[in-house]
Amino acid sequence: MAVNLPDDSVGLVTPQVAHFDEPFSFSSGAVLRSHELVYETYGQLNNAGDNAVLICHALSGSHHAAGYHTKDDRRPGWWDLAIGPGKPIDTDRLFVVCSNNLGCCDGSSGPNTINPETNQPWGGAFPQPQVKDWVRSQKQLADHLNIPRWAAVIGGSLGGMQALQWAVDFPDWVEHCIALAAAPGLTAQNIAFNEIARHAILSDPDWCQGDYLAQGKLPTRGVALARMVGHLTYMSADGMSDRFGRDLREGSFAPGDNSEWVFQVESYLRHQGARFSTQFDANTYVLMTRALDLFDLAAEYRSDLIAALSAAKADFLIASFSSDWRFPPQRSIEIRDALLAAGKPVTYANIDTDNGHDGFLLPNPSYEALLSAWMCRVGPS
């Protein structure tokens, strides 16, 4: 059923494809002879080219950050909350770009695309990307679009890590850097959660060493379990209690009722896992979580975060979310303090919310007001 598009929506959008014939080298040393990036743009690039904003997506995100692909779409892009006419990232004055990262499963070169050397899906043979690789591929896309510099690079979670890497690796390219619910590197606990999720996928009988597509299979059970584990860590205890409590979806606590007990929270997680298992590529999930684990902003600076950020020339907005225990406020404060020690301009805010790590994706008046006010300084006046 077609919907009337909201007035503050970017409207109907069409993904575009950039093809690159020159070889692309990964940090691991692996090389793609050629590759493609799928991306979307919203708004118009001005003549000076100084109003371009890059949006970096997180683990399960994609290039589809705002608007609708058809009038029958039930949901808009993943960050439609923030992108559009009159919204914090105002497309009436800013040109917004969001690309699907290399190794992902929404059209860019990745495990579910064809390896030209074998004429079969890449599967488990696709190279392991790192955050630095994504940043370099996004730089290629900027050159392709004739963008001379980013007025801002913005991202949440893994997207925020990309934004920080941009500011470090290409300081002359980034005027403003916004990192939401991010960290300079993962804790051992976070790496452990990712390993549990990967193990669920790799233990699925239909994993086939990553070559399941060539064998006509999908490791849906493993991906569903991985998503359930991941989704659980993105929510807060208070948020889950407020939303689900101990309510039952099926069965009852009445004496003599021998039917299966299914709590509302169980039903919700099962639904999330089942839906995700057919929409998201298993190899991509493995690659993305490993890229998270490998990210260390200070690795090339003898683990000195202050030294890593010293070359940056951007103005920074660092925001954390009070109930986020996956990337808690202390990690954002660590980034803020290193920026201050390096003499960099930085604004920091901790947003009060029960939405956990997902807070950067969900409505919150304080968060939206902060982002709106801060974004007014981005781009030409």
Side-chain angles (χ1 to χ4, degrees):
M1 181 178 178
V3 298
N4 293 321
L5 302 183
D7 292 338
D8 61 355
S9 170
V10 298
L12 295 178
V13 295
T14 301
Q16 302 174 67
V17 181
H19 183 85
F20 300 95
D21 287 322
E22 63 269 29
F24 182 89
S25 298
F26 290 83
S27 299
S28 64
V31 177
L32 291 180
R33 292 186 179 180
S34 63
H35 70 279
E36 292 183 338
L37 287 182
V38 174
Y39 66 98
E40 289 182 1
T41 66
Y42 322 109
Q44 297 293 324
L45 184 65
N46 64 17
N47 291 334
D50 60 358
N51 69 330
V53 171
L54 176 67
I55 307 296
C56 303
H57 70 76
L59 191 153
S60 59
S62 71
H63 55 281
H64 185 40
Y68 300 80
H69 287 159
T70 74
K71 287 189 175 182
D72 294 325
D73 287 355
R74 294 185 177 182
R75 294 182 179 179
W78 59 267
W79 213 22
D80 198 76
L81 165 78
I83 302 169
K87 292 181 180 179
I89 303 170
D90 189 353
T91 52
D92 281 340
R93 65 184 191 85
L94 298 172
F95 177 63
V96 181
V97 180
C98 185
S99 65
N100 185 225
N101 286 347
L102 277 175
C104 291
C105 52
D106 288 285
S108 292
S109 296
N112 64 345
T113 62
I114 298 299
N115 179 349
E117 296 183 10
T118 65
N119 208 32
Q120 293 290 324
W122 275 96
F126 194 83
Q128 172 65 57
Q130 297 189 36
V131 169
K132 290 177 69 69
D133 301 324
W134 290 330
V135 168
R136 287 190 295 105
S137 70
Q138 291 158 358
K139 171 68 164 54
Q140 282 187 321
L141 179 62
D143 294 336
H144 173 77
L145 295 174
N146 295 316
I147 294 170
R149 189 174 188 234
W150 296 114
V153 180
I154 308 172
S157 188
L158 180 54
M161 297 174 187
Q162 294 169 64
L164 292 168
Q165 193 74 63
W166 258 103
V168 169
D169 287 357
F170 297 101
D172 292 327
W173 265 77
V174 184
E175 186 175 355
H176 298 87
C177 177
I178 302 176
L180 310 168
L186 262 60
T187 62
Q189 183 190 52
N190 259 319
I191 295 172
F193 278 124
N194 286 341
E195 173 57 18
I196 292 170
R198 286 192 296 268
H199 187 70
I201 294 173
L202 273 58
S203 299
D204 190 307
D206 292 330
W207 166 245
C208 303
Q209 302 301 311
D211 293 326
Y212 44 85
L213 291 178
Q215 300 188 38
K217 298 180 179 180
L218 287 175
T220 53
R221 285 168 289 182
V223 175
L225 181 55
R227 179 60 171 176
M228 290 170 70
V229 170
H231 198 71
L232 178 64
T233 68
Y234 303 151
M235 304 171 73
S236 72
D238 288 343
M240 292 178 68
S241 295
D242 291 344
R243 182 169 181 178
F244 304 111
R246 289 181 50 81
D247 294 341
L248 288 170
R249 176 66 180 260
E250 298 176 19
S252 74
F253 294 121
D257 186 347
N258 295 319
S259 59
E260 180 186 7
W261 290 341
V262 179
F263 287 89
Q264 289 281 7
V265 68
E266 291 178 293
S267 177
Y268 172 76
L269 287 175
R270 290 174 186 177
H271 170 73
Q272 291 292 327
R275 185 178 68 175
F276 191 78
S277 69
T278 58
Q279 295 177 345
F280 203 83
D281 181 66
N283 275 308
T284 291
Y285 199 94
V286 171
L287 292 179
M288 294 285 278
T289 55
R290 283 182 172 150
L292 266 167
D293 295 352
L294 291 167
F295 176 72
D296 184 348
L297 192 63
E300 297 179 6
Y301 300 85
R302 298 184 179 180
S303 298
D304 186 339
L305 186 58
I306 298 171
L309 292 167
S310 291
K313 298 180 180 180
D315 285 359
F316 288 83
L317 172 62
I318 307 296
S320 57
F321 296 82
S322 61
S323 55
D324 182 358
W325 58 276
R326 188 78 190 259
F327 293 88
Q330 290 90 334
R331 304 310 313 279
S332 290
I333 291 172
E334 185 180 344
I335 299 169
R336 179 205 66 185
D337 289 350
L339 285 166
L340 290 173
K344 307 303 175 182
V346 55
T347 299
Y348 168 72
N350 183 39
I351 306 299
D352 186 26
T353 177
D354 285 338
N355 288 325
H357 186 57
D358 280 343
F360 77 95
L361 295 169
L362 299 173
N364 180 298
S366 297
Y367 167 46
E368 294 170 64
L370 169 70
L371 194 56
S372 291
W374 207 86
M375 287 299 297
C376 286
R377 71 180 70 182
V378 173
S381 55

